[in-house]
Amino acid sequence: DAVVKRDIKVLMEDRRAPAGGVVTALSDVLVRMNVAKFKKIRFQTHENIGYGEISLPEEEMHTRAAVLLFDSATSGGAALAGLPLEQRMPAVARIGGLIKNVAPVFLLCDGRDIGVAERLRDPHYEQPCLYVYDSYPGGIGLAEAFLDRIDEILLAALDLVLRCPCAEGCPSCVGPRNAEEEIDTDPKAAVETLLSAWVGKHPHESA
């Protein structure tokens, strides 16, 4: 598994609207990717057992992205602000991975067809945000489709976390915990707390 450094530059914003408990934007973006190293993953458990150095040229791609802005006036922004500062970035990053796993079911695509990138303070939007972008030059409509079904995707993500029987995260939900690198002692609990407050209700509760 590769450790990829991503830099995203917003080229043009098409629209912005409240949706899914956050403010969403649909934008043209330039994604710069550089593979810095690769993870050594243990077979079956997906535990990280080390890193190997690698040197590859930087890649650029002009594509489309759905941007989730955690504005302080939204339920998502308030939920994020309610977490301890050291938990915010890891929690958003793990929600990004969770969305990458869940969204393809609704978008009828492969997990590799979308990319995610989190920013605790994005230089363009000047607030925390999560990018969900098409992994193809020019985009193939996945960013637009994601925004159309954002409520269903977020509810399904929370449902997956709540139903998963693991204690602190696993490859099936928020990802396995790396005790050597993470400050947070229970990443699954942090993600569940954030998503529950963000979505506003559990998937099995009536409206």
Side-chain angles (χ1 to χ4, degrees):
D1 192 14
V3 177
V4 182
K5 294 182 179 178
R6 293 181 179 85
D7 178 60
I8 297 183
K9 180 181 180 182
V10 177
L11 302 176
M12 182 178 68
E13 183 178 308
D14 287 347
R15 67 173 188 259
R16 188 183 297 203
V22 291
V23 175
T24 64
L26 180 64
S27 304
D28 279 11
V29 297
L30 180 66
V31 181
R32 294 188 179 94
M33 296 169 287
N34 180 255
V35 180
K37 57 181 70 174
F38 63 90
K39 293 180 184 178
K40 298 176 182 178
I41 303 295
R42 191 183 304 278
F43 185 64
Q44 292 185 330
T45 65
H46 288 209
E47 293 175 276
N48 182 6
I49 57 175
Y51 292 94
E53 297 296 328
I54 191 171
S55 178
L56 291 173
E58 183 179 82
E59 297 181 358
E60 287 189 355
M61 178 177 63
H62 180 181
T63 188
R64 300 278 282 171
V67 192
L68 280 57
L69 306 173
F70 293 89
D71 187 275
S72 58
T74 64
S75 60
L80 183 62
L83 288 179
L85 185 60
E86 68 273 9
Q87 291 184 5
R88 294 176 191 174
M89 189 67 169
V92 174
R94 286 182 178 274
I95 286 177
L98 190 60
I99 286 174
K100 187 175 171 67
N101 290 335
V102 171
V105 176
F106 295 88
L107 306 182
L108 303 180
C109 68
D110 189 85
R112 293 168 293 185
D113 294 337
I114 58 175
V116 295
E118 67 284 344
R119 299 287 183 270
L120 195 56
R121 184 171 176 81
D122 185 76
H124 179 82
Y125 293 107
E126 297 185 339
Q127 59 186 310
C129 70
L130 179 66
Y131 289 87
V132 181
Y133 60 88
D134 285 36
S135 294
Y136 296 94
I140 56 174
L142 296 177
E144 291 86 347
F146 175 84
L147 291 180
D148 289 340
R149 306 197 68 175
I150 185 171
D151 292 305
E152 297 170 273
I153 292 170
L154 291 176
L155 283 170
L158 176 57
D159 191 33
L160 176 59
V161 174
L162 294 173
R163 288 178 180 272
C164 188
C166 72
E168 297 182 346
C170 70
S172 295
C173 60
V174 302
R177 177 173 176 251
N178 187 342
E180 295 181 357
E181 293 187 358
E182 293 180 324
I183 298 174
D184 184 19
T185 56
D186 189 350
K188 184 179 180 182
V191 170
E192 183 178 332
T193 298
L194 175 53
L195 267 178
S196 296
W198 174 1
V199 174
K201 64 178 181 179
H202 288 181
H204 308 299
E205 294 178 352
S206 58

